[in-house]
Amino acid sequence: MPHSALSHLECSKTGKRYDADQVQGVSDAGAPLLARYDLEQVAATVTPADIATRPADLWRYHEVLPVRDEANIVSLGEGMTPLLPLPSYGAAIGVPGLLMKDEGLVPTGTFKARGAAAGVSRAKELGVTGVAMPTNGNAGAAWALYAARAGMKSLIAMPVDAPAITRAECVVAGAELYLVDGLIGDAGKLVAAAVAERTGYQEVSTLKEPYRLEGKKTMGYEIVEQLGWHAPDVILYPAGGGVGHIGIYKALLEMRELGWLKGDLPRLVAVQAEGCAPIVEAYEAGKDESVPFPDAHTVAFGITVPKALGDFLVLEAVRATEGTAIAVSDAELLAEQAELARHEGAFICPEGAACMAAAKRLRASGWLREGDRTVVLNTGAGIKYPETVTVDVPTLAVDSRIPTPSAG
């Protein structure tokens, strides 16, 4: 069997086929292209038992990933993040079986490393010499670092309000970085214009190339494998550009076709912040696509996406699995970020904390049941967002004493 069973690319709206061995962007219909594989061949030659013998990284699923030659893989050891029980916090919110898939432990500190690994590897394989993208911070940092490892150039534009650490990651990786006085969509227009004037560069904006999604989908494969090749009842995921939702849903469908997953699919929950909730509004209105969200703002900067190219695919995944979409306030998510750290010692990113707030709210409403096996995706490390925690503590003189704690 070849290293990859990649067969072709397919328009997510029209189903039209595209050549997977040419550099591709969106389809003629302006829609994302989805990678398709010869799953019949994979099912005939690979089993879950085979997967278990492989290294514990995302490339263990290489037959359903797009890199044809193993020599072209660009890796920093990404994948196979832990699925952590949260017994104390779960009990406190009424979901004692709560689990957290902690993506803060991958290289670059966020799940964006998965997409960068697959996207940069395939771009390298296809002869691309430079990647260019707008970003809210973490994706740009990941792609810049993976591009550096691949010996490729990177052009990154991010809003001036993006987390400072992501700027540092881009600079240290040697990226050509620009700050934009606007939102990610504004940065995207500048990047698209720049790429049109450069040779060898590929625009790798969210869902404007097909392979970032393939790296992200491995979160779905891992969750199912870590649960003994069974799906959980519910998966909560923060929705910005939507690639995580789309990828996990794609992985679930692939595993079912492969025969690796039986039974019902998990109910997928799209979580957004009230300050930027276009997908939630579309879901509640019964629409198939969102409209641009006005004056978008939230402390969960990674999900500040006023209009996602793949919003219709997120909505399809949510509805097809009988899931839901929910928006939480910044106050709620920051409160749950602190509560989780106090209960479990896990300092998570604000986007992951939004999912904790959503789980709490959904349990209170009865949508989430006490016995549901529930997985929350924490998409990044809290230490990348130090501004979300106010530190106001006493300063002691060297000749003073630390106060004795009061009784009780």
Side-chain angles (χ1 to χ4, degrees), residues 159-229:
V160 70
D161 293 332
I165 183 62
T166 61
R167 302 183 197 178
E169 289 175 289
C170 291
V171 169
V172 79
E176 183 182 350
L177 174 66
Y178 299 95
L179 303 180
V180 178
D181 188 15
L183 297 175
I184 189 170
D186 303 302
K189 293 173 185 176
L190 295 175
V191 167
V195 170
E197 299 173 346
R198 301 185 180 209
T199 301
Y201 276 75
Q202 181 184 11
E203 183 183 351
V204 294
S205 306
T206 303
L207 293 174
K208 288 189 176 180
E209 63 80 45
Y211 301 117
R212 182 197 301 207
L213 175 63
E214 297 304 288
K216 301 282 188 66
K217 81 179 182 187
T218 58
M219 291 183 288
Y221 276 90
E222 288 180 18
I223 289 168
V224 170
E225 182 179 1
Q226 288 170 314
L227 293 175
W229 296 100

Side-chain angles (χ1 to χ4, degrees), residues 28-50:
D28 295 337
L33 292 175
L34 303 177
R36 299 303 186 194
Y37 301 85
D38 184 348
L39 296 180
E40 185 176 344
Q41 182 186 33
V42 177
T45 54
V46 183
T47 68
D50 296 324

